[in-house]
Amino acid sequence: MGLVNHTVVTHFILLGIHNTDGLQTILFIVFLAFYLCTLLGNLLILSAILADSRLHTPMYFFLCNLSVLDLGLASIITPKLLANLCSQSRVISLGGCMSQVFFYQFLGCTEELLCTVMAFDSLTFTLPYCGPNVVDYYFCDIFPVAKLACADTYVIETLGFYNNGLVPMTCFLLILMSYVRIVYSILKMNSAEGRRNAASTCTSHLMVVTLCFGPCIMVYTQPRLSKVVATALQISTDVVTPMLNAVIYTLRNKDVKRALRKLRGGQTTAS
């Protein structure tokens, strides 16, 4: 079929979160609070680690990267979500939609899947979009945007399953397998103090891993998941998890808490 008579889409309209009529003000306050806590918590962690030379180790380098990713993921989704909640206009430009899709996929999958993400971006937005232009979601993601294309989207949906579902599931299973070995090693420790410290660190990491991978696996391996359930899972990943990561690592890590006390001018004892 020729496309000569089709109108080229220059913007999309985000329908937002389903079944929330009359709750816009409450949701705006809740999501704004989560976003501000995410910014504050992760910026504090970054500042504390950068300011304390004792935390310049591989473990805290990883924590810094996690904080940067959380800041990025939250900032891609939440500001536009907040704007839509307090505005009648829910329009997003084609360029803005492309940016959301690309950076959300890029930060979510990070470096090892960069090439796949770039292929995603090219595939998704080289498809013809001739109308309608209403995205049945609260931000631009692969499946909701691809559904609007006036062409076969089988390749996109297959890559979406692989990139965002199968790969995270494989990583999650590998992490769980590694923790079986770690738990076995912890149980063999002679020192009760050592066991407690190791268990605390492992628990924090497993909580973050579950919060990160769980919703992602559910949403992307089951594209026909109920919209209400999928949206709730996605919001937990995009809005709540970035804040919880900072809380988990701050409250359960003595070194980070000591660095934060030092950052605000408190006295710390040498360990």
Side-chain angles (χ1 to χ4, degrees):
M1 286 177 57
L3 299 178
V4 290
N5 294 326
H6 289 164
T7 303
V8 177
V9 170
T10 58
H11 64 275
F12 293 99
I13 299 170
L14 301 171
L15 287 186
I17 305 171
H18 288 273
N19 304 320
T20 57
D21 290 340
L23 299 174
Q24 286 85 350
T25 302
I26 295 174
L27 290 176
F28 179 86
I29 294 171
V30 170
F31 292 152
L32 178 62
F34 276 126
Y35 184 54
L36 292 177
C37 289
T38 297
L39 293 180
L40 179 62
N42 285 287
L43 288 173
L44 279 174
I45 287 178
L46 284 171
S47 301
I49 292 174
L50 292 174
D52 193 335
S53 59
R54 289 173 295 185
L55 300 184
H56 295 176
T57 63
M59 174 184 171
Y60 292 103
F61 175 75
F62 162 77
L63 186 53
C64 277
N65 279 279
L66 179 64
S67 291
V68 170
L69 286 173
D70 284 339
L71 286 169
L73 283 168
S75 298
I76 290 166
I77 305 301
T78 312
K80 183 61 178 175
L81 174 59
L82 293 173
N84 289 345
L85 285 171
C86 65
S87 171
Q88 294 298 318
S89 175
R90 296 184 176 183
V91 174
I92 184 170
S93 67
L94 178 62
C97 196
M98 289 176 65
S99 299
Q100 271 201 334
V101 171
F102 176 78
F103 286 108
Y104 185 75
Q105 298 293 320
F106 170 66
L107 292 176
C109 301
T110 61
E111 297 174 359
E112 70 273 15
L113 295 175
L114 175 59
C115 292
T116 308
V117 172
M118 292 177 69
F120 252 145
D121 193 53
S122 299
L123 277 172
T124 305
F125 288 100
T126 52
L127 289 172
Y129 290 90
C130 0
N133 65 339
V134 178
V135 181
D136 191 10
Y137 213 40
Y138 66 95
F139 78 101
C140 288
D141 200 7
I142 287 291
F143 292 135
V145 173
K147 285 178 182 177
L148 301 180
C150 43
D152 185 12
T153 60
Y154 174 76
V155 174
I156 288 290
E157 291 185 1
T158 303
L159 284 175
F161 170 78
Y162 166 77
N163 190 48
N164 299 295
L166 189 60
V167 171
M169 184 182 294
T170 303
C171 293
F172 185 63
L173 291 175
L174 288 173
I175 291 170
L176 290 182
M177 289 170 60
S178 71
Y179 267 90
V180 172
R181 176 63 182 172
I182 292 171
V183 169
Y184 177 72
S185 300
I186 291 174
L187 292 175
K188 291 177 64 177
M189 288 182 176
N190 294 324
S191 167
E193 179 75 17
R195 284 198 299 271
R196 280 194 298 271
N197 291 338
S200 177
T201 301
C202 291
T203 301
S204 298
H205 187 210
L206 276 176
M207 289 171 67
V208 169
V209 166
T210 302
L211 288 169
C212 177
F213 284 96
C216 182
I217 292 169
M218 288 289 294
V219 170
Y220 289 102
T221 56
Q222 301 183 56
R224 291 173 176 80
L225 195 67
S226 161
K227 288 180 181 178
V228 174
V229 175
T231 301
L233 289 171
Q234 195 82 60
I235 288 175
S236 74
T237 300
D238 302 335
V239 180
V240 181
T241 298
M243 182 196 72
L244 289 181
N245 286 347
V247 172
I248 290 168
Y249 276 110
T250 301
L251 294 181
R252 299 183 63 88
N253 192 297
K254 293 179 181 178
D255 293 330
V256 173
K257 287 191 284 189
R258 184 184 61 215
L260 287 172
R261 287 195 297 270
K262 179 181 178 182
L263 191 65
R264 70 168 186 259
Q267 297 297 316
T268 60
T269 56
S271 54

